[in-house]
């Protein structure tokens, strides 16, 4: 059986960052297992029209690989191109196995290592590893809505994250289900295509989101030249953007009134984009701003107000072979249904495929404790398992790449610690794990995510927010700056 020091699952921003940083430490024996055919993760998968990052690119990129971005908010192809370039330059790609799935990883207590079964183009094989680093992403498994008859629909139907570019929308009747971060980027693009081809768009909204302007701009002239020539200037931009975004944290976690300017901006956005009072009322959210992710768009409301769009707020009762029927009995014929209904976030499918010391899976463990980790990274009973973008590391207001780098720094230091001490394995002790999570959940009670009057995918079925980090992101980075061995139970080498 082949042994590698590290198996890294996923080649998105997280897995690639882990590979690059481990290699910088001389850790060359790793295997990155990626189910897709290239790097990029969510940015490879989400190719829907209008796909764009709503965090400015200067911040939504690695601190160690700045880039000459063309716009303040980069479109998906530019981000994907960036990740591919960084990967190429890193000299790590020879250890990536693409089109390969991690079928199952189990901790072998005798050998004190992970036994990882993978399947790819060359069939199925098992490798062993000292660590298992999971960067599989929190938004990688599309969630389909549970709607009666959806599976009987005879037209085209696809999820926003699996856009079917073979389907020509021209002149069609299209329905978009959902009005979240993905939908509000898709809707203006689809509406334009349909407007110019005699097609029609129905948008099915369950709850209206808060949407502030995005004010995207292309870097031009002297600014573009300066950004191209002086990487130091990109750093200045990055720092400014970081602190501007961090300004949201007190509003989300302590003083909701601080979110009033954002609410005013969102209300002005509605007023600017929509003239009809009835439609304005329909799109005005019924919960505190920040309770769900604040979205950014200048084109969403005009698209809803367009003549060829209908915003439907009645609950969907069922889907038939060729129509969507709402609870009021109205049947709207449709050719193409786009489900922009989000992802499995609080019951991550990969956790069914990782078995720890007690012989049960991470999913089983989390059925008891709720989705929880120590520092969002490690879990008792799962030695040398390190998660990136694990429980309570999510951000609604800033760049996940910042969090990813903080977690990778921690993992890197954990690996150095294993090398230095000669320990075979570490796992967080249950007391440290409990204290960390009790503190998080105590803080969570005061946040707008729990008190803002919305139901969101941040909350699990017990109402616990297991997704977001409830403090400043620089606090997160500080807490993970070095590996705290004293919070861990250690296993000596056999
Ligand atoms: P989402 O935010 O979870 O939104 C899903 C939408 O579908 C919501 O409007 C939801 O309504 C609706 N929905 C779910 N089930 C439904 C059902 N059964 N019937 C009717 N409507 C239903 O998913 P997403 O838009 O794909 O975004 C997910 C996350 O991806 C975002 O929060 C963000 O973190 C990330 N993202 C980021 C960007 C970016 O620019 N950085 C862009 C896209 C996505 P309710 O609100 O009522 O639940």
């Amino acid at each position: 059986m082949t042994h590698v020091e590290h198996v890294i699952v996923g080649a998105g921003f997280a897995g690639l960052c882990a590979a690059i940083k481990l290699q910088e430490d001389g850790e060359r024996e790793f295997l990155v297992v990626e189910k897709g055919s290239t790097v990029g993760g969510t940015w490879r998968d989400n190719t829907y029209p209008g796909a764009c990052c709503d965090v400015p690119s200067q911040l939504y990129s690695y601190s160690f690989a700045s880039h000459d971005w063309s716009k303040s908010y980069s479109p998906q192809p530019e981000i994907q191109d960036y990740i591919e370039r960084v990967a190429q330059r890193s000299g790590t790609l020879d250890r990536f196995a693409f089109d390969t799935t991690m079928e199952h990883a189990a901790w072998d207590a005798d050998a004190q290592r992970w036994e990882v079964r993978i399947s790819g183009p060359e069939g199925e094989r098992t490798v062993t590893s000292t660590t298992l680093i999971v960067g599989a992403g929190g938004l990688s498994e599309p969630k389909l809505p549970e709607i009666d008859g959806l599976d009987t629909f005879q037209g085209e139907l696809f999820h926003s994250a699996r856009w079917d570019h073979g389907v020509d929308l021209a002149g069609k009747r299209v329905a978009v289900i959902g009005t979240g971060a993905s939908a509000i980027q898709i809707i203006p693009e689809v509406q334009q295509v349909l407007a110019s081809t005699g097609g029609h768009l129905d948008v099915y909204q369950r709850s209206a989101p808060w949407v502030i302007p995005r004010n995207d701009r292309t870097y031009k002239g002297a600014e573009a030249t300066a950004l191209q020539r002086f990487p130091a200037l990109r750093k200045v931009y990055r720092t400014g953007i970081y602190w501007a975004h961090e300004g949201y944290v007190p509003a989300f976690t302590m003083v909701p009134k601080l979110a009033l300017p954002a609410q005013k901006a969102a209300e002005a956005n509605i007023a600017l984009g929509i003239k009809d009072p009835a439609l304005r009322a329909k799109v005005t959210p019924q919960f505190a701003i920040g309770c769900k992710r604040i979205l950014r768009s200048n084109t969403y409301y005009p698209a809803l107000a367009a003549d060829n769009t209908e915003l439907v707020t009645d609950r969907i009762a069922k889907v038939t072979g060729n129509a969507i029927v709402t609870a009021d009995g109205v049947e709207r014929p449709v050719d193409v249904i786009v489900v922009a209904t989000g992802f499995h976030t609080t019951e991550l499918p990969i956790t069914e495929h990782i078995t720890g010391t007690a012989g049960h899976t991470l999913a089983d463990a989390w059925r008891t404790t709720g989705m929880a980790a120590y520092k969002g990274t490690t879990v008792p009973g799962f030695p040398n398992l390190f998660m990136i973008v694990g429980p309570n590391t999510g951000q609604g207001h800033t760049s996940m790449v910042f969090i990813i780098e903080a977690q990778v720094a921690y993992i890197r230091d954990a690996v150095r610690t294993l090398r230095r001490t000669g320990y075979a394995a570490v796992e967080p002790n249950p007391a440290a794990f409990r204290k960390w999570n009790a503190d998080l959940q105590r803080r969570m009670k005061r946040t707008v995510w729990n008190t803002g009057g919305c139901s969101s995918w941040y909350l699990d079925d017990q109402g616990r927010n297991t997704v977001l980090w409830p403090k400043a992101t620089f606090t997160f980075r500080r807490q993970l700056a070095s590996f705290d061995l004293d919070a861990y139970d250690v296993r000596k080498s056999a």
Side-chain angles (χ1 to χ4, degrees), residues 58-89:
Q58 305 287 354
L59 185 61
Y60 199 91
S61 45
Y62 295 123
S63 63
F64 54 87
S66 82
H67 183 67
D68 181 24
W69 298 101
S70 67
K71 302 176 82 178
S72 49
Y73 293 90
S74 294
Q76 174 269 339
E78 198 171 341
I79 299 173
Q80 179 61 19
D81 180 61
Y82 166 79
I83 304 177
E84 286 178 15
R85 280 165 190 251
V86 173
Q88 288 292 349
R89 278 203 309 261

Side-chain angles (χ1 to χ4, degrees), residues 254-411:
M254 286 181 297
V255 192
K257 272 194 188 147
L258 293 174
L260 270 180
Q263 182 170 331
K264 295 271 174 249
E267 286 163 353
N269 205 19
I270 295 174
L272 190 69
I274 297 176
K275 298 281 166 278
D276 172 20
L279 184 56
R280 280 185 182 172
K282 277 185 175 181
V283 300
T284 301
Q286 301 301 309
F287 54 83
I289 191 163
C291 185
K292 295 186 193 206
R293 187 184 177 95
I294 299 175
L295 310 181
R296 289 170 191 260
S297 176
N298 300 62
T299 51
Y300 176 59
Y301 291 126
L304 292 185
D307 288 343
N308 67 325
T309 305
E310 183 183 357
L311 178 70
V312 183
T313 53
D314 289 296
R315 193 177 57 77
I316 298 174
K318 64 174 179 182
V319 172
T320 66
N322 62 356
I324 296 180
V325 183
T326 41
D328 56 356
V330 176
E331 182 170 334
R332 291 177 180 81
V334 60
D335 303 310
V336 182
I337 299 179
V338 176
V339 281
T341 46
F343 299 86
H344 290 278
T345 51
T346 52
E347 67 293 1
L348 296 176
I350 194 163
T351 59
E352 300 282 0
H353 304 282
I354 300 173
T355 301
T357 49
H360 57 218
T361 65
L362 186 53
D364 289 333
W366 283 353
R367 274 189 267 278
T368 314
T369 62
M371 188 170 88
Y374 178 63
K375 299 198 168 179
T377 312
T378 54
V379 185
F382 295 81
N384 290 0
L385 168 69
F386 298 96
M387 310 192 74
I388 311 176
V389 190
N392 292 110
T393 60
Q395 299 299 319
H397 70 289
T398 191
S399 171
M400 278 313 292
V401 184
F402 182 92
I403 296 295
I404 286 169
E405 287 192 36
Q407 289 193 277
V408 168
Y410 186 71
I411 295 166

